[in-house]
Protein backbone atom coordinates (compact mmCIF):
# COMPACT_ATOMS: atom_id res chain seq x y z
CA UNK A 1 0.00 0.00 0.00
CA UNK A 2 1.12 3.62 -0.42
CA UNK A 3 1.02 4.02 3.37
CA UNK A 4 3.38 1.08 3.88
CA UNK A 5 5.87 2.51 1.36
CA UNK A 6 5.82 5.94 2.99
CA UNK A 7 6.04 4.46 6.46
CA UNK A 8 9.02 2.25 5.55
CA UNK A 9 10.79 5.09 3.78
CA UNK A 10 10.26 7.33 6.83
CA UNK A 11 11.69 4.74 9.20
CA UNK A 12 14.58 4.10 6.84
CA UNK A 13 15.44 7.82 6.74
CA UNK A 14 15.29 8.03 10.54
CA UNK A 15 17.70 5.12 10.90
CA UNK A 16 20.04 6.65 8.31
CA UNK A 17 19.95 9.99 10.13
CA UNK A 18 20.69 8.29 13.45
CA UNK A 19 23.55 6.35 11.89
CA UNK A 20 24.97 9.53 10.36
CA UNK A 21 24.68 11.39 13.67
CA UNK A 22 26.40 8.53 15.49
CA UNK A 23 29.21 8.41 12.91
CA UNK A 24 29.68 12.19 13.18
CA UNK A 25 29.76 12.06 16.99
CA UNK A 26 32.28 9.20 16.86
CA UNK A 27 34.53 11.11 14.45
CA UNK A 28 34.39 14.22 16.64
CA UNK A 29 35.25 12.18 19.75
CA UNK A 30 38.17 10.51 17.95
CA UNK A 31 39.45 13.90 16.71
CA UNK A 32 39.25 15.31 20.25
CA UNK A 33 41.07 12.28 21.65
CA UNK A 34 43.87 12.67 19.08
CA UNK A 35 44.45 16.26 20.26
CA UNK A 36 45.27 14.96 23.74
CA UNK A 37 47.63 12.21 22.62
CA UNK A 38 51.37 12.89 22.51
CA UNK A 39 53.56 10.86 20.19
CA UNK A 40 55.60 8.18 21.97
CA UNK A 41 58.75 9.12 20.09
CA UNK A 42 61.22 11.74 21.38
CA UNK A 43 60.25 15.30 20.57
CA UNK A 44 61.69 18.74 21.39
CA UNK A 45 60.43 20.28 24.63
CA UNK A 46 61.10 23.92 25.52
CA UNK A 47 61.59 24.62 29.22
CA UNK A 48 62.34 27.73 31.25
CA UNK A 49 64.79 26.71 33.98
CA UNK A 50 66.41 29.22 36.32
CA UNK A 51 65.41 32.02 33.98
CA UNK A 52 67.08 30.46 30.92
CA UNK A 53 65.44 28.76 27.92
CA UNK A 54 66.37 25.15 27.23
CA UNK A 55 65.23 22.80 24.48
CA UNK A 56 65.60 19.09 25.12
CA UNK A 57 64.52 16.20 22.93
CA UNK A 58 62.88 13.62 25.17
CA UNK A 59 60.17 10.96 25.22
CA UNK A 60 56.84 12.00 26.77
CA UNK A 61 57.49 9.69 29.75
CA UNK A 62 60.68 11.58 30.70
CA UNK A 63 60.39 13.27 34.08
CA UNK A 64 61.68 16.72 34.92
CA UNK A 65 64.13 15.05 37.32
CA UNK A 66 65.60 13.02 34.46
CA UNK A 67 65.85 16.09 32.24
CA UNK A 68 67.62 18.11 34.94
CA UNK A 69 70.14 15.44 35.85
CA UNK A 70 70.68 13.51 32.60
CA UNK A 71 70.17 16.15 29.91
CA UNK A 72 71.13 19.49 31.48
CA UNK A 73 73.69 18.43 34.11
CA UNK A 74 71.76 20.30 36.84
CA UNK A 75 72.50 17.66 39.45
CA UNK A 76 71.49 19.52 42.62
CA UNK A 77 68.11 17.81 42.33
CA UNK A 78 68.56 14.29 43.75
CA UNK A 79 67.01 10.94 42.85
CA UNK A 80 66.75 9.06 46.14
CA UNK A 81 63.86 6.63 45.73
CA UNK A 82 61.17 5.54 43.28
CA UNK A 83 58.28 6.53 45.54
CA UNK A 84 59.00 10.28 45.66
CA UNK A 85 58.62 10.13 49.42
CA UNK A 86 61.76 11.96 50.50
CA UNK A 87 61.64 15.39 48.86
CA UNK A 88 65.28 15.32 47.70
CA UNK A 89 64.05 16.17 44.19
CA UNK A 90 62.17 19.31 45.27
CA UNK A 91 62.19 22.17 42.78
CA UNK A 92 60.02 25.27 42.55
CA UNK A 93 57.55 25.51 39.66
CA UNK A 94 55.68 28.79 39.31
CA UNK A 95 56.37 29.53 42.96
CA UNK A 96 55.25 26.16 44.32
CA UNK A 97 57.49 23.42 45.75
CA UNK A 98 57.09 20.34 43.54
CA UNK A 99 58.84 16.96 43.36
CA UNK A 100 60.62 16.88 40.00
CA UNK A 101 60.26 13.10 39.78
CA UNK A 102 56.47 13.41 39.76
CA UNK A 103 56.18 15.72 36.75
CA UNK A 104 56.72 14.94 33.10
CA UNK A 105 58.88 17.44 31.24
CA UNK A 106 56.23 17.85 28.50
CA UNK A 107 53.77 19.15 31.13
CA UNK A 108 56.01 22.05 32.04
CA UNK A 109 56.20 24.02 28.82
CA UNK A 110 55.51 27.67 29.69
CA UNK A 111 56.19 27.17 33.42
CA UNK A 112 58.98 28.82 35.40
CA UNK A 113 61.18 26.14 36.96
CA UNK A 114 63.76 26.89 39.65
CA UNK A 115 66.37 24.46 40.90
CA UNK A 116 68.81 24.83 43.78
CA UNK A 117 71.37 26.10 41.27
CA UNK A 118 69.27 29.27 40.95
CA UNK A 119 70.05 30.25 44.56
CA UNK A 120 73.59 31.25 43.75
CA UNK A 121 74.69 34.00 41.41
CA UNK A 122 78.47 34.26 41.52
CA UNK A 123 79.42 35.33 45.04
CA UNK A 124 75.78 36.11 45.91
CA UNK A 125 74.14 33.20 47.75
CA UNK A 126 70.55 32.96 48.98
CA UNK A 127 70.19 33.32 52.75
CA UNK A 128 68.55 29.90 52.99
CA UNK A 129 71.78 28.32 51.75
CA UNK A 130 73.96 30.32 54.15
CA UNK A 131 71.45 29.64 56.95
CA UNK A 132 71.72 25.89 56.41
CA UNK A 133 75.50 26.20 56.81
CA UNK A 134 75.24 28.48 59.85
CA UNK A 135 72.79 26.18 61.69
CA UNK A 136 74.43 22.93 60.53
CA UNK A 137 71.28 21.87 58.71
CA UNK A 138 73.08 19.15 56.78
CA UNK A 139 75.13 16.04 57.34
CA UNK A 140 75.48 13.73 54.35
CA UNK A 141 73.95 16.54 52.27
CA UNK A 142 71.95 14.34 49.94
CA UNK A 143 68.55 15.70 50.98
CA UNK A 144 69.86 19.23 51.41
CA UNK A 145 69.11 20.71 47.95
CA UNK A 146 65.50 19.54 48.16
CA UNK A 147 65.16 20.87 51.70
CA UNK A 148 66.71 24.18 50.66
CA UNK A 149 64.23 24.55 47.79
CA UNK A 150 61.28 23.55 49.98
CA UNK A 151 62.41 26.09 52.59
CA UNK A 152 62.82 28.85 50.01
CA UNK A 153 59.37 28.18 48.51
CA UNK A 154 57.78 28.03 51.97
CA UNK A 155 59.37 31.27 53.19
CA UNK A 156 58.39 33.04 49.97
CA UNK A 157 54.76 32.30 50.81
CA UNK A 158 55.05 32.60 54.61
CA UNK A 159 57.78 35.16 55.37
CA UNK A 160 56.69 35.55 59.02
CA UNK A 161 56.10 31.87 59.78
CA UNK A 162 56.24 30.44 63.28
CA UNK A 163 58.24 27.37 64.24
CA UNK A 164 55.10 25.22 64.21
CA UNK A 165 54.17 26.49 60.75
CA UNK A 166 57.70 25.80 59.48
CA UNK A 167 57.66 22.26 60.85
CA UNK A 168 54.33 21.58 59.17
CA UNK A 169 55.28 23.37 55.94
CA UNK A 170 58.48 21.35 55.51
CA UNK A 171 56.85 18.06 56.51
CA UNK A 172 57.07 16.70 52.95
CA UNK A 173 60.84 16.39 53.09
CA UNK A 174 62.80 13.72 54.94
CA UNK A 175 66.35 13.90 56.30
CA UNK A 176 67.68 10.47 57.19
CA UNK A 177 70.54 12.09 59.11
CA UNK A 178 68.00 13.86 61.34
CA UNK A 179 69.16 17.46 60.92
CA UNK A 180 65.65 18.85 61.39
CA UNK A 181 66.69 21.09 64.30
CA UNK A 182 69.23 22.97 62.19
CA UNK A 183 66.89 23.19 59.22
CA UNK A 184 64.00 24.60 61.24
CA UNK A 185 66.30 27.03 63.07
CA UNK A 186 67.56 28.32 59.74
CA UNK A 187 64.00 28.88 58.50
CA UNK A 188 62.90 30.42 61.80
CA UNK A 189 65.77 32.91 61.83
CA UNK A 190 64.88 34.07 58.31
CA UNK A 191 61.18 34.23 59.22
CA UNK A 192 61.97 36.42 62.24
CA UNK A 193 63.75 38.86 59.91
CA UNK A 194 60.63 38.86 57.72
CA UNK A 195 58.55 39.76 60.76
CA UNK A 196 60.76 42.69 61.74
Amino acid sequence: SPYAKTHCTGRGSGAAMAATALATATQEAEAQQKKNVVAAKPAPVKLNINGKPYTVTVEPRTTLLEVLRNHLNLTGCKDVDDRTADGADTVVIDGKAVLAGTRFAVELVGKKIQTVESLRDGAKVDEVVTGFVKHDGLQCGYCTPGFVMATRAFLNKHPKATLAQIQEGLGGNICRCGTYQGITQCALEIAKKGGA
Side-chain angles (χ1 to χ4, degrees):
S1 73
Y3 172 75
K5 284 183 181 176
T6 303
H7 185 66
C8 288
T9 302
R11 287 182 70 187
S13 296
M17 287 174 47
T20 301
L22 180 62
T24 302
T26 302
Q27 288 172 350
E28 289 174 1
E30 287 174 355
Q32 184 63 35
Q33 187 176 16
K34 285 180 184 175
K35 288 180 187 176
N36 296 328
V37 174
V38 180
K41 61 184 180 182
V45 176
K46 294 181 180 181
L47 300 173
N48 181 326
I49 302 170
N50 301 332
K52 296 178 184 178
Y54 292 90
T55 301
V56 292
T57 300
V58 294
E59 293 180 356
R61 65 181 176 173
T62 305
T63 66
L64 175 60
L65 176 62
E66 292 167 329
V67 167
L68 294 172
R69 293 187 60 80
N70 303 334
H71 295 268
L72 301 178
N73 200 32
L74 295 170
T75 56
C77 194
K78 304 299 186 205
D79 185 7
V80 175
D81 66 37
D82 294 331
R83 295 177 301 282
T84 62
D86 54 81
D89 58 334
T90 302
V91 295
V92 176
I93 300 174
D94 287 345
K96 182 179 179 182
V98 176
L99 303 178
T102 66
R103 301 296 300 272
F104 293 117
V106 295
E107 295 179 84
L108 302 173
V109 175
K111 306 281 187 183
K112 291 183 179 178
I113 303 162
Q114 286 179 275
T115 69
V116 72
E117 287 87 355
S118 72
L119 300 184
R120 181 175 186 160
D121 184 10
K124 185 180 177 184
V125 180
D126 189 282
E127 63 183 336
V128 173
V129 176
T130 57
F132 265 63
V133 174
K134 176 182 175 181
H135 292 283
D136 197 20
L138 58 152
Q139 281 188 32
C140 80
Y142 212 76
C143 74
T144 305
F147 248 119
V148 166
M149 292 308 290
T151 302
R152 174 40 59 212
F154 177 79
L155 290 173
N156 285 348
K157 289 188 176 181
H158 309 280
K160 301 178 184 179
T162 65
L163 179 58
Q165 290 170 328
I166 290 166
Q167 290 169 335
E168 182 178 348
L170 299 180
N173 290 63
I174 297 172
C175 174
R176 288 172 174 84
C177 300
T179 60
Y180 299 111
Q181 177 69 15
I183 292 167
T184 54
Q185 286 307 306
C186 163
L188 186 60
E189 181 177 274
I190 296 169
K192 283 180 178 175
K193 289 180 192 174

